[in-house]
């Protein structure tokens, strides 16, 4: 007999967290309810005092379908607890604002998802939090920036869109030596390919909008961590500020988890083949994919991630006009800015996701006018290669 903790990841993703009603439904139920009814006044009183894992009060605090999603992802990650949120950004906002206060110092990698950068660079300082930025790939900068009074380090383990890695185990060691917590946005590396808690993270954040849904339907997010952090620090903040996940979205995410491992593996396998094909094309000046030996941190990537992930960045020679010609010539790959989707998606970071950065800031992050970010989907990889190479031929 194996216990739930011993299940392999794919089994956890299918069965973890399931709560069946008296009807014994096979597929998990959507409890589309805001409130809950108590059998008597004494029960209401005691539940407000303290509620058990299957006792609910109000959907902003918790809901059975949301709890199934939280338990399933927590089981996969080996985390003590999780709190699901309305979006990935509600998760980032909750994780940071719930544990920081005026006077605290944090260290953050510079290369962040645009909205994460807004929180860390603009909002936190407005509330008196001191932020030091470092080049995430440079361990010496982390070492110099983390101080005795540093409360937290924040990073994306694979950056968007240049797919630069942070050596999470090394940064966690530096942070823990100074008593700082490590908070990781693990969206690009995915819960399938990177075991962030085992590498030293204290808190892990996902935008469930990406690979967890994986089919472009709902927004969602989740924060994972210790029971003490999730219940004692994060939950009071999120349940009173309103970032809760909707039960319907939780159901979509719960069912998304069942196929996530298969999808991510198929997408990463296609991504590796596409990255290698792009690398051989005369109109491509550079390919960044952590699964390719040409990636500047290939050794670290092989150590830290099981596969190279589902996203590729490549640079079309001749800059923005040529990159636009490639995008406009694509017939299977869609122009959009989501990622982790079943549909392959290409985006031009300079003019969309990173449009608001200065030319200098973009150059510093390695985002060039010819760069295209490609999220590899579930289509037949042969069709994707033909589509991409054909568009490059015509550019
Ligand atoms: C998409 C994304 C987010 C934000 O998630 P939403 O669900 O869109 O709010 C945060 N971090 C990273 C790395 C992302 O890719």
């Amino acid at each position: 007999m194996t216990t739930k903790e011993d299940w392999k990841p794919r089994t956890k993703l299918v069965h973890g967290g399931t709560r069946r009603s008296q009807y014994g439904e096979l597929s998990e139920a959507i409890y589309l309810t805001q409130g809950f009814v108590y059998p008597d006044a004494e029960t209401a009183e005691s539940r407000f005092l303290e509620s058990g894992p299957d006792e609910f009060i109000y959907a902003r605090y918790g809901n059975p379908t949301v709890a199934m999603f939280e338990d399933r992802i927590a089981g996969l990650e080996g985390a003590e607890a999780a709190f699901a949120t309305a979006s990935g950004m509600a998760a980032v906002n909750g994780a940071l604002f719930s544990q920081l206060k005026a006077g605290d110092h944090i260290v953050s990698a510079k290369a962040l998802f645009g909205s994460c950068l807004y929180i860390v660079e603009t909002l936190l300082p407005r509330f008196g939090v001191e932020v030091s930025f470092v080049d995430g790939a440079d361990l010496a900068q982390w070492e110099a920036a983390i101080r005795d009074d540093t409360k937290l380090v924040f990073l994306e383990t694979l950056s968007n869109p240049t797919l630069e890695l942070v050596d999470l185990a090394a940064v966690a060691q530096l942070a823990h030596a100074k008593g700082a917590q490590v908070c990781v946005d693990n969206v690009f590396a995915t819960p399938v390919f990177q075991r962030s808690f085992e590498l030293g993270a204290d808190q892990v954040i996902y935008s469930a909008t990406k690979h967890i849904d994986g089919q472009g339907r709902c927004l969602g997010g989740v924060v994972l961590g210790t029971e003490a952090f999730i219940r004692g620090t994060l939950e009071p903040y999120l349940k009173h500020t309103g970032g809760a996940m909707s039960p319907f979205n939780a159901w979509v995410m719960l069912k998304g988890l069942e196929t996530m491992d298969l999808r991510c593996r198929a997408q990463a396998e296609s991504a590796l083949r596409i990255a290698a094909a792009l690398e051989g094309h005369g109109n491509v000046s550079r390919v960044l994919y952590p699964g390719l030996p040409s990636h500047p941190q290939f050794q670290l990537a092989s150590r830290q991630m099981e596969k190279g992930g589902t996203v590729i960045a490549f640079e079309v020679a001749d800059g923005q006009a040529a990159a636009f010609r490639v995008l406009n010539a694509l017939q299977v790959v869609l122009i959009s800015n989501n990622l982790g989707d079943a549909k392959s998606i290409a985006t031009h970071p300079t003019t969309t996701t990173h449009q608001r950065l200065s030319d200098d800031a973009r150059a510093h992050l390695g985002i060039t006018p010819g760069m295209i970010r490609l999220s590899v989907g579930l289509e037949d990889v042969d069709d994707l290669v033909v589509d991409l190479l054909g568009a490059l031929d015509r550019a």
Side-chain angles (χ1 to χ4, degrees):
M1 268 295 280
T2 56
T3 68
K4 288 181 185 190
E5 288 71 38
D6 299 331
W7 285 346
K8 300 277 194 294
R10 294 237 301 246
T11 310
K12 288 180 175 169
L13 285 171
V14 173
H15 291 292
T18 300
R19 288 162 161 82
R20 289 205 165 81
S21 77
Q22 71 272 32
Y23 300 113
E25 62 279 356
L26 174 61
S27 173
E28 296 78 356
I30 311 177
Y31 292 93
L32 205 54
T33 180
Q34 305 157 340
F36 299 85
V37 176
Y38 315 105
D40 47 51
E42 288 78 9
T43 307
E45 181 187 28
S46 71
R47 204 169 295 178
F48 267 78
L49 191 65
E50 193 179 358
S51 41
D54 286 313
E55 296 173 343
F56 299 93
I57 294 174
Y58 190 54
R60 176 150 45 74
Y61 296 13
N63 167 286
T65 311
V66 177
M68 287 194 260
F69 167 66
E70 290 166 343
D71 289 354
R72 188 166 290 180
I73 182 83
L76 174 74
E77 290 276 340
E80 287 176 15
F83 194 95
T85 54
S87 67
M89 287 321 302
V92 174
N93 173 29
L96 295 176
F97 275 91
S98 69
Q99 64 185 311
L100 296 172
K101 60 179 189 318
D104 284 344
H105 174 248
I106 74 166
V107 181
S108 171
K110 259 186 242 158
L112 295 180
F113 182 75
S115 302
C116 296
L117 185 65
Y118 179 71
I119 290 182
V120 172
E121 189 178 43
T122 305
L123 292 183
L124 288 177
R126 196 188 286 172
F127 291 89
V129 174
E130 186 192 348
V131 183
S132 304
F133 282 102
V134 296
D135 173 353
D138 186 348
L139 276 179
Q141 287 191 31
W142 285 104
E143 186 160 20
I146 300 170
R147 316 189 304 225
D148 289 334
D149 66 343
T150 300
K151 182 92 180 277
L152 184 80
V153 308
F154 181 68
L155 57 101
E156 291 171 19
T157 48
L158 251 191
S159 72
N160 169 35
T162 53
L163 305 174
E164 190 176 88
L165 280 89
V166 174
D167 185 338
L168 180 53
V171 170
Q173 206 167 27
L174 292 171
H176 291 156
K178 303 274 187 183
Q181 296 277 293
V182 178
C183 182
V184 171
D185 176 337
N186 199 39
V187 168
F188 273 69
T190 83
V192 174
F193 298 132
Q194 182 168 302
R195 312 279 308 159
S196 295
F197 284 109
E198 286 163 24
L199 293 163
D202 299 294
Q203 301 139 20
V204 176
I205 299 170
Y206 290 104
S207 163
T209 314
K210 313 294 164 54
H211 304 83
I212 293 176
D213 176 338
Q215 293 171 72
R217 297 161 294 193
C218 292
L219 287 173
V222 65
V223 185
L224 301 120
T226 61
E227 186 78 21
F229 174 72
I230 298 294
R231 298 277 91 85
T233 302
L234 182 84
E235 187 179 287
Y237 177 87
L238 275 170
K239 78 182 194 186
H240 297 301
T241 54
M245 178 180 269
S246 116
F248 178 79
N249 289 11
W251 180 79
V252 170
M253 300 308 179
L254 184 65
K255 302 309 277 180
L257 285 178
E258 293 182 353
T259 56
M260 178 178 68
D261 187 279
L262 289 172
R263 285 185 282 105
C264 287
R265 285 178 196 285
Q267 287 166 258
E269 203 175 297
S270 295
L272 180 59
R273 240 198 80 192
I274 291 166
L278 290 172
E279 209 163 41
H281 197 284
N283 289 344
V284 173
S285 49
R286 190 166 180 223
V287 178
L288 291 168
Y289 181 65
L292 280 184
S294 61
H295 189 283
Q297 299 162 294
F298 178 68
Q299 296 304 330
L300 173 60
S302 314
R303 215 166 55 235
Q304 187 158 288
M305 295 171 66
E306 198 191 315
K307 291 219 174 352
T310 66
V311 179
I312 301 167
F314 65 98
E315 225 171 65
V316 182
D318 296 334
Q320 182 170 319
F324 272 32
R325 284 197 297 277
V326 170
L327 288 170
N328 293 338
L330 292 168
Q331 289 173 343
V332 180
V333 178
L334 305 171
I335 303 173
S336 182
N337 43 266
N338 195 17
L339 63 101
D341 201 271
K343 294 176 171 61
S344 289
I345 286 170
T347 186
H348 184 249
T350 298
T351 54
T352 62
T353 53
H354 293 70
Q355 188 190 100
R356 276 170 309 168
L357 295 188
S358 66
D359 290 348
D360 268 4
R362 269 194 302 270
H364 195 84
L365 292 173
I367 303 168
T368 57
M371 183 172 281
I372 290 175
R373 186 189 80 188
L374 175 69
S375 169
V376 177
L378 287 172
E379 302 92 339
D380 190 302
V381 64
D382 291 339
D383 289 336
L384 294 175
V385 169
V386 167
D387 195 34
L388 287 156
L389 297 191
L392 282 161
D393 286 343
R394 276 168 276 154

